[in-house]
Amino acid sequence: MRRLWILGWLFAAALAQGLVLPEGAVAGRPVELAAQGLEPGAYPIEIAGPGGTEVVTLVTTENGGRLAWTPEAPGRYLLTLFAPGAKYRAELEVAPPPPPVTLEADGLRIGSRTWPLPPGDWLAPLETPDAVYLAQRGAPLVLAFPRGGEREPLYAFYPYLPVEELREGPAVSLQGGGVWPLAGLPADRPYAGAWSTLEPLHVLAQFWRDQGVASRLPAGPGGYRPYWSFLAEDPALLDERDLAAWGRDLLRRGHRPELVWGEGARAWSDRWQAAARRGDEATARRLAEALLRYAPLHPGAAAFFGEMADRFAAAGDPAAALRLRTLARQAEAQLPVLRANGLERALAALALAYLALVLVLGVRYLPAQRRSLADWGGLWGSWVRNPLRRFRYLLFAHAGWGERLLAALLFFAAAAVLWLWGGVRGFEAETARPPFDRATLVGASFENWPAGPERAALQAYAALPGEAADPRAFEGAAPLAFVEALRYRLSGDPQALLAAYRAEAVYPPLRAALGLGDDAWSEVYRAAGVERMGTPRARDLCRAYLIGSLRQLTVRPTRSLEALGWSSGAAWALLVALAAWALLHLWVLLLPRPRGTVRAAGTVARAFELIVPGSTSFGKGWGVVLLLAAAYGAVRWILGDPTGGGLWLAAAYLPHLVLWYGEVHR
């Protein structure tokens, strides 16, 4: 047994001695020859190869020895190291040198072949033993060209940000400083670069089609292509499989059909719409269906779908037209009900109606107010001689109680619409920035959103599926269907499912989960393998923002005014003025009407009553309907819609003139 151990040790020691060579080598490039297990000294190495035999000397120390040697020609080499009492042999296969690579004005030359390229800021090629990598600065594309022959496939990588630099690895440096290996680019991030950076890809695809190089942009090594590579293609060339792959990748990277694409998306959506309009019937149906399924809220969607529906109806397919119109309306129903433009008009109409009412009341009761204050210094002197009595005989105090209430209601309605206008304007400003303007919440910080449990729920959804948040983070949230559905998704609590149903029984993911029926987008989610439960719609985002603003009203009461462009100081000044005027209206409601108050009935008063619709019926309450109709019509006329505004004005003034005539000749 002892002899066997000794023999084994000697055999292992013999294996630990000799030459150490790399697995492969390339002619013309240095090769490292190493020795191990040898005593320090100088050892000759005989190298026999296609070009003859040469001898080099390897010097070793206690830590071993290394020698750089460059083979001149490809082929098989036999290396023999001579040591005292022993020879160590090894073979090395040397491959021919790769073809030279040069980036020229007309393209990338690899050996005898030139790959044509359009003009652009192309970076220096990165050479590896298997491929040559090329990228254009500012574009989300890295091309991999073959080195072993012209018939090898060409493939590409599509980073989620434009490329800044190619690095060894191979790796890529992206805009913003991130560095990723090409083989490890994230597959769950949406595209974060400007849409204009896709234009070089579109130019390259068109250039290669014209040059006969390729009909499409190349796919990745596994045949995978992210959705933004499809956006750079000619939409008319995309078939059903391409569009399905585009849509699945959209959902898997966090984009949602329930959310809105901002105006910046016109960089690609206008091209898709134009392709559908000028294409044949099959192309139009294919693109319209893809946009409806995966991006129904893209810029100009309503007009586009309406135009396509008219085209299908004219082509003899009314069922397809009806389906398209119906689903387009369902998609629009996910938009916020409140819009900043509409609220601006509403505020203008309320403010105009309020001013008209105050003007009529002033002309109508100013004489009575003067008589009440004649013995106390008049309208202005009474503020000095007896301020308390002056407060007792305010202008509104002489009006009837119904008129006072109407004025207060108009003022408070205008103040509420002002707050809503500012809140919605703030929401629209937030959602006009990435990533909200790309129909996704992935990467959203929500730091500028009002704090509260609703914001916590949105943050929890944005972190899915990678980070499962604790549903206790949004305890106390308003009863919104998506919040309760998200709570059910995270906790599995069936009570949350019931709470979601009570909040909104028509919430589509909830109905699908309860087996009550799918909507048009349920199958889209299933095909992509994406969980839909808890997905917020665009209108849910607006509700969450406004509810959060209401919660923060005591913390930051000027948020809405600042969103309208007011500075902090100006917003506080306006807020104080509005609060003082509101207290005035409340005070007037409590004051008794001075005895003997008679409204003016002279020519001036009658003339003002003629101008302001509903003025003869303010005390009865329904005159405000005519006043608001006239104010809305005037606003529409001023904003450039004389036809619509004229109709509203006519609807207000025609009955008003009849009532005014009857009042005058009663």
Side-chain angles (χ1 to χ4, degrees):
M1 181 62 70
R2 183 178 181 183
R3 291 179 179 179
L4 292 176
W5 277 104
I6 293 174
L7 290 174
W9 182 86
L10 292 174
F11 181 73
L15 290 178
Q17 294 178 335
L19 280 170
V20 179
L21 303 179
E23 294 182 358
V26 178
R29 294 184 180 179
V31 177
E32 187 178 77
L33 308 179
Q36 64 180 10
L38 299 177
E39 294 292 331
Y43 298 90
I45 300 177
E46 181 183 86
I47 305 174
T53 302
E54 63 176 309
V55 178
V56 297
T57 301
L58 175 64
V59 179
T60 64
T61 64
E62 294 180 354
N63 297 324
R66 299 179 184 277
L67 172 66
W69 166 73
T70 303
E72 299 295 335
R76 185 180 298 275
Y77 286 78
L78 177 62
L79 290 81
T80 305
L81 185 147
F82 296 91
K87 294 180 181 180
Y88 301 98
R89 289 184 173 88
E91 289 187 354
L92 179 64
E93 188 70 32
V94 177
V101 177
T102 55
L103 183 60
E104 301 175 348
D106 57 344
L108 180 68
R109 179 177 294 276
I110 303 177
S112 62
R113 175 166 184 178
T114 298
W115 296 86
L117 297 171
D121 187 9
W122 296 98
L123 301 172
L126 175 64
E127 299 184 48
T128 67
D130 300 322
V132 177
Y133 296 91
L134 184 67
Q136 186 175 354
R137 192 189 309 276
L141 173 67
V142 178
L143 296 168
F145 296 93
R147 303 205 66 162
E150 296 184 0
R151 296 183 180 179
E152 292 184 12
L154 173 72
Y155 54 91
F157 299 90
Y158 298 91
Y160 68 96
L161 278 169
V163 175
E164 285 294 325
E165 182 184 2
L166 282 175
R167 297 189 180 185
E168 295 291 338
V172 64
S173 174
L174 306 179
Q175 279 185 0
V179 178
W180 291 87
L182 290 179
L185 290 172
D188 57 350
R189 294 196 182 185
Y191 186 64
W195 293 120
S196 59
T197 58
L198 298 180
E199 186 61 24
L201 277 67
H202 179 70
V203 171
L204 177 64
Q206 183 64 48
F207 183 79
W208 275 359
R209 280 196 297 271
D210 296 340
Q211 296 290 323
V213 176
S215 60
R216 302 276 300 278
L217 289 173
Y224 168 73
R225 302 178 66 192
Y227 69 83
W228 55 90
S229 68
F230 294 101
L231 298 181
E233 296 278 7
D234 182 354
L237 301 179
L238 302 178
D239 57 22
E240 295 286 354
R241 293 180 59 186
D242 294 329
L243 294 172
W246 168 69
R248 287 194 301 269
D249 196 60
L250 274 175
L251 266 75
R252 290 169 182 171
R253 289 181 180 265
H255 299 279
R256 296 292 177 259
E258 296 92 343
L259 300 180
V260 179
W261 293 85
E263 285 296 313
R266 287 188 179 275
W268 61 267
S269 65
D270 284 355
R271 187 163 61 237
W272 283 48
Q273 291 183 8
R277 291 187 178 103
R278 66 173 176 264
D280 56 19
E281 192 71 20
T283 300
R285 288 176 181 269
R286 189 168 65 246
L287 293 178
E289 181 67 19
L291 288 172
L292 181 64
R293 287 168 62 86
Y294 303 113
L297 300 179
H298 66 274
F304 170 71
F305 290 137
E307 184 179 342
M308 289 296 101
D310 293 340
R311 178 175 176 175
F312 298 160
D317 194 352
L322 177 61
R323 175 181 179 275
L324 187 58
R325 288 194 181 96
T326 302
L327 295 183
R329 284 196 297 269
Q330 291 180 12
E332 288 183 19
Q334 301 174 112
L335 294 172
V337 177
L338 300 176
R339 312 285 178 85
N341 291 338
L343 289 171
E344 185 178 10
R345 289 190 176 192
L347 177 62
L350 286 170
L352 184 60
Y354 179 76
L355 292 176
L357 174 62
V358 171
L359 181 63
V360 169
L361 295 181
V363 173
R364 181 177 291 173
Y365 297 110
L366 185 60
Q369 185 187 28
R370 284 177 173 173
R371 288 193 297 270
S372 299
L373 298 173
D375 298 334
W376 303 92
L379 292 177
W380 305 110
S382 57
W383 285 110
V384 178
R385 293 182 58 183
N386 196 332
L388 292 178
R389 187 177 183 86
R390 184 65 180 84
F391 270 109
R392 166 68 178 79
Y393 289 98
L394 292 172
L395 174 65
F396 287 138
H398 291 76
W401 198 85
E403 294 169 326
R404 301 185 215 177
L405 179 62
L406 177 59
L409 291 177
L410 282 178
F411 173 78
F412 286 115
V417 171
L418 175 64
W419 181 83
L420 280 175
W421 180 33
V424 173
R425 177 67 63 85
F427 165 76
E428 292 179 353
E430 286 297 318
T431 53
R433 292 195 289 265
F436 300 103
D437 66 340
R438 301 188 176 198
T440 181
L441 302 184
V442 176
S445 65
F446 297 96
E447 60 182 8
N448 294 325
W449 286 52
E454 293 78 19
R455 186 179 76 171
L458 292 174
Q459 290 173 323
Y461 180 82
L464 292 174
E467 302 176 14
D470 187 349
R472 290 176 296 181
F474 42 91
E475 287 289 344
L480 299 175
F482 89 92
V483 174
E484 299 301 332
L486 181 61
R487 193 191 314 278
Y488 169 74
R489 176 176 174 179
L490 295 175
S491 66
D493 182 7
Q495 294 301 320
L497 200 63
L498 296 179
Y501 187 83
R502 286 193 294 268
E504 187 177 351
V506 296
Y507 179 58
L510 178 64
R511 294 183 61 82
L514 295 175
L516 299 178
D518 294 337
D519 69 350
W521 292 272
S522 298
E523 179 57 32
V524 171
Y525 277 87
R526 281 194 291 267
V530 176
E531 174 62 53
R532 192 183 186 189
M533 184 64 72
T535 300
R537 298 156 295 183
R539 65 180 185 181
D540 293 326
L541 298 183
C542 185
R543 291 173 180 174
Y545 188 93
L546 293 178
I547 293 172
S549 297
L550 189 60
R551 291 181 186 273
Q552 294 287 304
L553 193 58
T554 58
V555 178
R556 188 181 169 188
T558 59
R559 177 191 290 270
S560 292
L561 297 178
E562 291 175 10
L564 297 174
W566 293 66
S567 65
S568 179
W572 274 107
L574 178 60
L575 188 63
V576 170
L578 291 176
W581 200 251
L583 291 175
L584 174 65
H585 273 290
L586 294 176
W587 167 250
V588 167
L589 287 176
L590 300 176
L591 290 177
R593 191 179 192 187
R595 294 181 179 180
T597 299
V598 179
R599 71 182 191 181
T603 303
V604 175
R606 291 300 187 188
F608 273 96
E609 290 177 351
L610 173 64
I611 295 173
V612 180
S615 55
T616 59
S617 306
F618 285 157
K620 301 175 183 178
W622 63 269
V624 69
V625 176
L626 299 179
L627 178 61
L628 290 175
Y632 180 69
V635 169
R636 290 190 60 171
W637 189 300
I638 294 171
L639 294 179
D641 184 13
T643 302
L647 291 175
W648 280 93
L649 288 171
Y653 270 102
L654 288 177
H656 167 68
L657 292 176
V658 174
L659 295 173
W660 178 85
Y661 183 82
E663 179 74 14
V664 171
H665 293 83
R666 185 173 55 185

